[in-house]
Amino acid sequence: MKKKIIFIIFLVILIVVLFLIPKDTYRKIFGKDDNNSNIGETYSDNVLVYMCDEKDNLVGVKAQVESLEEDVVGQKFDILTKKTGAFKNDYDTSINTMTKIINYEIDKDVLVLNLSNEFLESEGRKSLEQLVWTYCNDEIKELKIKVENEMINSLNGFYFDKLTTDINNLLNLHKPL
């Protein structure tokens, strides 16, 4: 009987001690890294988009999102137009934030974005570069842009023939002659 009482008292003391151990010490003892455990709680995936930094340079940024959506094109556009709080640092967009995707289609390796009229109020070349670098990758080689179902070939004084990241045809943007 004494052995049972001593065992129960020992067990209660052990449980109390475990509850009194600070969380960071517990994580160290049992191999859970405090830095990595917080990352997965809020964000689990990254989406690469191109944004303007504080010097107005276009930079590739991994936006942290809870999960990749089935509509990745729409998700990237929402990030580009700052409809999510995906960045810890300050990045800006050159695309008019009121712009909406009406629809889009991917035909072989060409993405055709059909955008609302607000896109015409975007910053021109920088906005086009932002879209091209965000969407063109191994699968998508070229971007075409429609505004309200009409194909465009200029935006705020910049004319283009083909929107691509191909180094030989880098955006093919030019000012009017």
Side-chain angles (χ1 to χ4, degrees), residues 3-4 18 31-32 36-37 41 47 79 99 104 126 132 139 151 153 171:
K3 289 181 180 180
K4 286 184 181 181
L18 286 176
K32 291 186 177 181
N36 291 337
S37 64
E41 292 174 11
V47 175
I79 294 168
T99 305
Y104 67 88
K126 181 84 64 181
V132 168
E139 293 85 31
M151 198 66 71
N153 66 350
L171 287 177

Side-chain angles (χ1 to χ4, degrees), residues 7-21:
F7 180 73
I8 291 174
I9 292 173
F10 176 74
L11 193 59
V12 169
I13 292 172
L14 181 64
I15 291 172
V16 170
V17 168
L18 286 176
F19 279 111
L20 295 177
I21 295 174

Side-chain angles (χ1 to χ4, degrees), residues 1-162:
M1 184 72 169
K2 279 185 169 182
K3 289 181 180 180
K4 286 184 181 181
I5 294 175
I6 292 173
F7 180 73
I8 291 174
I9 292 173
F10 176 74
L11 193 59
V12 169
I13 292 172
L14 181 64
I15 291 172
V16 170
V17 168
L18 286 176
F19 279 111
L20 295 177
I21 295 174
K23 286 183 181 180
D24 58 339
T25 305
Y26 174 82
R27 287 184 179 131
K28 287 178 185 175
I29 291 171
F30 294 103
K32 291 186 177 181
D33 185 12
D34 200 17
N35 295 332
N36 291 337
S37 64
N38 290 337
I39 293 172
E41 292 174 11
T42 306
Y43 301 107
S44 61
D45 285 309
N46 291 314
V47 175
L48 180 64
V49 294
Y50 284 79
M51 301 294 288
C52 300
D53 66 7
E54 64 277 350
K55 295 178 183 175
D56 205 32
N57 294 322
L58 202 60
V59 294
V61 181
K62 289 185 178 179
Q64 296 178 329
V65 294
E66 288 183 24
S67 64
L68 291 176
E69 295 177 6
E70 191 172 314
D71 179 14
V72 176
V73 172
Q75 185 177 30
K76 284 184 176 185
F77 198 82
D78 285 346
I79 294 168
L80 287 175
T81 54
K82 305 217 35 138
K83 293 178 183 163
T84 67
F87 301 112
K88 292 181 181 177
N89 297 330
D90 290 325
Y91 293 101
D92 203 3
T93 184
S94 60
I95 300 168
N96 182 325
T97 57
M98 299 303 290
T99 305
K100 304 216 180 342
I101 291 182
I102 297 171
N103 58 33
Y104 67 88
E105 62 183 74
I106 299 174
D107 183 22
K108 296 182 185 174
D109 60 353
V110 177
L111 171 62
V112 180
L113 289 176
N114 187 14
L115 305 174
S116 64
N117 274 328
E118 290 84 3
F119 181 69
L120 296 174
E121 299 168 12
S122 298
E123 292 183 31
R125 181 180 180 133
K126 181 84 64 181
S127 299
L128 295 170
E129 288 176 338
Q130 200 171 351
L131 290 172
V132 168
W133 286 103
T134 295
Y135 287 112
C136 289
N137 53 37
D138 292 337
E139 293 85 31
I140 297 173
K141 302 294 182 202
E142 183 181 347
L143 179 67
K144 292 184 179 181
I145 299 176
K146 291 181 178 180
V147 173
E148 302 287 337
N149 295 315
E150 300 222 7
M151 198 66 71
I152 64 169
N153 66 350
S154 69
L155 181 63
N156 281 332
F158 287 97
Y159 293 82
F160 53 90
D161 301 318
K162 188 175 183 181

